[in-house]
Amino acid sequence: MAELNYGLTESQIEIRDMVREFAETRVKPVRAELDEKEEFPRAILNELGKMDLMGLYIPSEYGGFGAESSLDFIIAIEELSRVCIGVSVSYAANALGADPILIGASDEQKKKYLPPLASGEKLAAFALTEPNAGSDAGGIQTTAVLKGDKYILNGTKQWITNGGEADTYTVMAVTDRNKGPRGVSCFIVEKGMPGFKFGKKENKLGIHASATRELIFEDAEVPKANIIGREGMGFILAMRTFDVSRPGIAAQGGGLAQGALDEVVNYARQRVQFGRPIIANQGYQWTLADMATEIEASRALLYSVCRTVDSGAKDYSKFSAMIKLYATDVAMKVTTNAVQLLGGYGYMKEYPVEKMMRDAKILQIYEGTNQIQRDVIGAALIKEYASAKK
């Protein structure tokens, strides 16, 4: 199959091929069962850990693979997503939970918490969202009060990916209500700490294999040493984490869309109507052409954003928002078209495109809705053009 030359290194091509084969041979045969049973893919993540793929994004000094580029991890997410988003989000959320540690933690904290995440021995989760604080991340109600050598946390986090399955949680809580967003701090909370428990597992439209749960803090005791950075750094850490993680959501969208296109083309080559394969119909070809073009455009922008991040650019929030917005909108459009092009078969669970369509929707919602991405892009444009006129 013809592919554009994206200048991937030998190592990146090796990662792509390795994960692609793993997804085809290990994930694809069980994806329908995982979805139907809403079963967390623990065994698959354990296997990825043994392949040194859980720590692709973690520096070698902390037990990770020491990837040469953020693109290495993005490629792995993309290939898993091509087969099953439920698996890929469980994989990617481990990095999301680890990102605040990578970005702002002390060397001592990194040495303690990153190696078991890199090996797959433990999983991580990121806890920001609450019942009344989703898009408005500054509306966090969970509190953390310092008492002696411990912080006492009270509140509830909602819709936390890997919730209940993860061992290590990076949790945002308010330490000074009077300072607004500048009064939010970030804590490393471990499963089993006194006062920390889990609520219900959510019953979702898609990504059924992914665990989504409430986190409940009732006078939860967290050591003072587990604050990341200092008090008041939480909101900044959260925003910097999203800048890093949003290309990963785009990779989920791009991989999912590519998987849907693969299914449609293979189906259309075999399905005969009116005496010929339906792929011979011009109207069908035009829809496929649009799907393929938008997927490739999405991939090109994604890889460019990754290279911008790797170049040491200090401000890439706008570009992270752009690719998250574009790739996930493309994923929703492509998977919806995939169901339509398969007709009645597309609506049946016997074919994977109905699952792909259900899974695609969340990509436009989590880690900042696509409406919020447009706000981020618009605000950046206003700032850039205002500066240019001075």
Side-chain angles (χ1 to χ4, degrees):
M1 185 180 295
E3 293 185 348
L4 282 175
N5 181 3
Y6 285 111
L8 301 183
T9 65
E10 288 185 13
S11 176
Q12 289 166 344
I13 292 172
E14 184 179 345
I15 290 169
R16 183 196 65 191
D17 294 346
M18 182 193 312
V19 180
R20 183 175 295 177
E21 181 181 3
F22 179 83
E24 286 290 327
T25 60
R26 182 66 185 88
V27 181
K28 182 176 282 188
V30 298
R31 66 180 173 188
E33 182 180 2
L34 291 173
D35 184 71
E36 192 70 28
K37 293 182 177 179
E38 300 188 8
E39 180 181 335
F40 188 75
R42 174 73 66 174
I44 289 173
L45 297 181
N46 287 343
E47 291 180 46
L48 288 169
K50 292 176 182 177
M51 295 166 66
D52 291 330
L53 292 170
M54 292 299 288
L56 264 181
Y57 59 94
I58 294 176
S60 56
E61 59 263 40
Y62 302 115
F65 185 82
E68 60 191 53
S69 163
S70 64
L71 186 54
D72 295 29
F73 187 51
I74 290 299
I75 289 169
I77 295 173
E78 187 178 12
E79 291 302 327
L80 287 174
S81 302
R82 194 167 178 168
V83 172
C84 181
I85 287 287
V87 170
S88 73
V89 68
S90 303
Y91 172 73
N94 195 53
L96 177 63
D99 280 338
I101 300 174
L102 281 165
I103 294 168
S106 66
D107 186 60
E108 183 179 357
Q109 289 171 325
K110 290 178 181 178
K111 287 179 178 177
K112 179 178 180 180
Y113 289 104
L114 292 178
L117 298 180
S119 67
E121 175 189 346
K122 293 185 177 181
L123 296 178
F126 178 76
L128 171 66
T129 303
E130 298 182 1
N132 294 308
S135 296
D136 179 14
I140 294 171
Q141 297 300 309
T142 298
T143 59
V145 178
L146 182 61
K147 291 186 178 180
D149 62 350
K150 295 179 181 178
Y151 280 93
I152 307 301
L153 272 63
N154 281 284
T156 301
K157 296 295 181 180
Q158 188 177 50
W159 303 330
I160 304 305
T161 304
N162 284 0
E165 301 290 343
D167 309 277
T168 304
Y169 298 79
T170 44
V171 179
M172 302 296 163
V174 176
T175 47
D176 189 339
R177 182 70 62 194
N178 296 323
K179 292 184 178 180
R182 295 181 181 273
V184 175
S185 302
C186 184
F187 300 89
I188 303 172
V189 182
E190 299 177 55
K191 182 189 285 189
M193 284 182 170
F196 174 37
K197 61 183 181 180
F198 305 107
K200 65 176 180 176
K201 182 179 180 181
E202 302 292 350
N203 185 14
K204 309 184 296 288
L205 171 70
I207 58 169
H208 289 166
S210 168
T212 308
R213 282 191 178 88
E214 290 180 327
L215 310 185
I216 300 171
F217 303 94
E218 295 178 345
D219 291 331
E221 299 177 7
V222 180
K224 181 180 178 181
N226 281 34
I227 190 170
I228 298 180
R230 62 179 186 278
E231 286 191 7
M233 285 186 62
F235 190 76
I236 295 172
L237 277 172
M239 295 304 103
R240 289 181 64 190
T241 292
F242 285 145
D243 285 345
V244 172
S245 67
R246 280 171 176 158
I249 305 302
Q252 291 175 36
L256 176 60
Q258 184 66 60
L261 178 64
D262 294 344
E263 294 291 341
V264 172
V265 173
N266 288 330
Y267 170 85
R269 291 176 64 246
Q270 299 171 17
R271 173 71 167 167
V272 175
Q273 291 284 278
F274 304 105
R276 61 179 183 172
I278 58 176
I279 200 169
N281 296 321
Q282 186 182 64
Y284 212 102
Q285 291 177 18
W286 283 12
T287 302
L288 293 177
D290 287 344
M291 293 162 71
T293 301
E294 290 174 342
I295 291 168
E296 208 63 65
S298 172
R299 183 176 293 119
L301 178 56
L302 173 60
Y303 289 9
S304 294
V305 170
C306 288
R307 292 199 167 95
T308 299
V309 172
D310 293 335
S311 73
K314 293 182 179 180
D315 185 6
Y316 49 85
S317 297
K318 179 182 73 174
F319 303 117
S320 289
M322 282 179 173
I323 187 53
K324 195 274 186 185
L325 164 67
Y326 183 72
T328 59
D329 278 355
V330 166
M332 193 71 245
K333 180 179 178 181
V334 166
T335 54
T336 301
N337 280 338
V339 172
Q340 185 69 31
L341 290 176
L342 263 69
Y345 289 106
Y347 203 69
M348 300 299 128
K349 288 193 174 183
E350 179 183 353
Y351 290 81
V353 292
E354 64 84 27
K355 174 185 179 301
M356 291 174 169
M357 180 179 170
R358 287 187 287 108
D359 288 348
K361 189 61 203 173
I362 190 59
L363 301 176
Q364 296 177 304
I365 298 172
Y366 61 18
E367 289 195 40
T369 65
N370 283 6
Q371 288 76 14
I372 289 295
Q373 305 313 311
R374 290 178 171 89
D375 282 346
V376 171
I377 297 165
L381 290 172
I382 291 170
K383 181 178 178 181
E384 288 172 7
Y385 279 83
S387 298
K389 290 182 178 180
K390 291 181 180 179

